Amino acid sequence: LRYIVYGTKGSSNCAIECALAEARAPYDLVDVSLDINAQLTDEFARINPTRKIPALCLLSGHVITESAAILLTIADRHPRARLLPRSRTPERAQALRWMVFMASEVYPAVEIVDYPERFTGRSGHPEETRDLARERVRNRFLILEQAIAGEPWLGPAFSLADLYVANLTRWSVGKEWRAEHCPKIERLAQAIAERPVSGPIWRRHFG
Ligand SMILES: N[C@@H](CCC(=O)N[C@@H](CS)C(=O)NCC(=O)O)C(=O)O
């Protein structure tokens, strides 16, 4: 039995693939190309009614969606992989905090950067809306940058939160801006690119 990951190159299924690989859990990848809006088809809406990637089909055949929930479910099902800090520790709380921060404070603004016309309507100014959303994402990355306490990880040891924050910081703000303002985020992403198991997956998406 194998998991099925729905996603595409450069999307948040990268973190999901890395988590599965770190847990030594085999998976198949179904490409849902955003370039041709494959996520918007009625066929894909049966997998995720929001018509967004990623999605994960569990070994039971149940499909779950929402990138952060998918990652937490993988950690839950593969406890020996230690993808999260131990339960009831302050480190666990911080890892959950930053995962939810990315899912709720960052990901929705990324949609505005990518598809501003969805939010402006015909009378609005999509370019201005995009710029404002990009500023919001940059502000949130600066908050994250301040929070990175480990060297190079978010906390004292590698966890799912590192995979997730590194993945979501690849978008919206521009490489040059990131290099100038977010050295700790960039070191963290580089450390994932160098991990023996996650590294090749990361480089396939973002190399
Ligand atoms: N809340 C969702 C957001 C997923 C999301 O926005 N995915 C993007 C790709 S990174 C997408 O499918 N965009 C295509 C679209 O919105 O049409 C999650 O966390 O999984």
Side-chain angles (χ1 to χ4, degrees):
L1 279 176
R2 295 163 72 86
Y3 288 95
I4 303 171
V5 177
Y6 296 86
T8 200
K9 184 169 182 280
S11 193
S12 64
N13 47 289
C14 174
I16 292 164
E17 292 176 56
C18 290
L20 289 170
E22 296 277 349
R24 308 295 191 268
Y27 64 89
D28 295 314
L29 185 62
V30 174
D31 186 54
V32 181
S33 170
L34 303 181
D35 294 339
I36 57 165
N37 280 329
Q39 81 284 11
L40 300 182
T41 61
D42 291 344
E43 187 193 347
F44 189 69
R46 285 191 283 277
I47 300 201
N48 186 358
T50 65
R51 301 178 195 250
K52 289 177 180 178
I53 52 171
L56 179 73
C57 184
L58 300 171
L59 304 182
S60 61
H62 293 92
V63 171
I64 64 165
T65 66
E66 298 307 316
S67 50
I70 292 170
L71 288 168
L72 295 173
T73 301
I74 294 168
D76 204 24
R77 283 169 189 235
H78 298 276
R80 278 191 305 183
R82 296 179 187 282
L83 295 170
L84 281 174
R86 280 213 322 277
S87 301
R88 296 184 295 277
T89 58
E91 291 77 20
R92 170 84 149 221
Q94 292 300 328
L96 297 178
R97 172 190 181 188
W98 292 109
M99 289 181 73
V100 173
F101 175 85
M102 296 306 281
S104 61
E105 288 289 331
V106 173
Y107 221 148
V110 169
E111 181 177 3
I112 305 175
V113 175
D114 288 347
Y115 303 95
E117 65 291 344
R118 288 182 186 171
F119 299 88
T120 50
R122 239 164 303 163
S123 54
H125 300 281
E127 286 313 319
E128 187 182 2
T129 302
R130 168 178 280 144
D131 289 345
L132 289 168
R134 178 175 290 120
E135 276 317 302
R136 170 59 66 92
V137 177
R138 286 179 174 171
N139 169 271
R140 295 314 188 240
F141 286 1
L142 293 176
I143 294 172
L144 173 68
E145 175 75 11
Q146 293 298 314
I148 296 178
E151 288 181 13
W153 311 120
L154 196 43
F158 167 76
S159 85
L160 277 186
D162 296 300
L163 289 175
Y164 194 52
V165 306
N167 192 156
L168 268 63
T169 54
R170 295 311 88 192
W171 309 324
S172 302
V173 297
K175 256 191 196 145
E176 294 72 24
W177 185 88
R178 248 184 5 232
E180 191 179 337
H181 296 94
C182 304
K184 290 200 262 178
I185 290 175
E186 292 309 88
R187 268 201 300 283
L188 190 156
Q190 186 54 35
I192 290 170
E194 289 167 9
R195 281 180 77 80
V197 173
S198 289
I201 297 168
W202 177 271
R203 296 194 302 268
R204 176 162 56 75
H205 283 279
F206 298 115

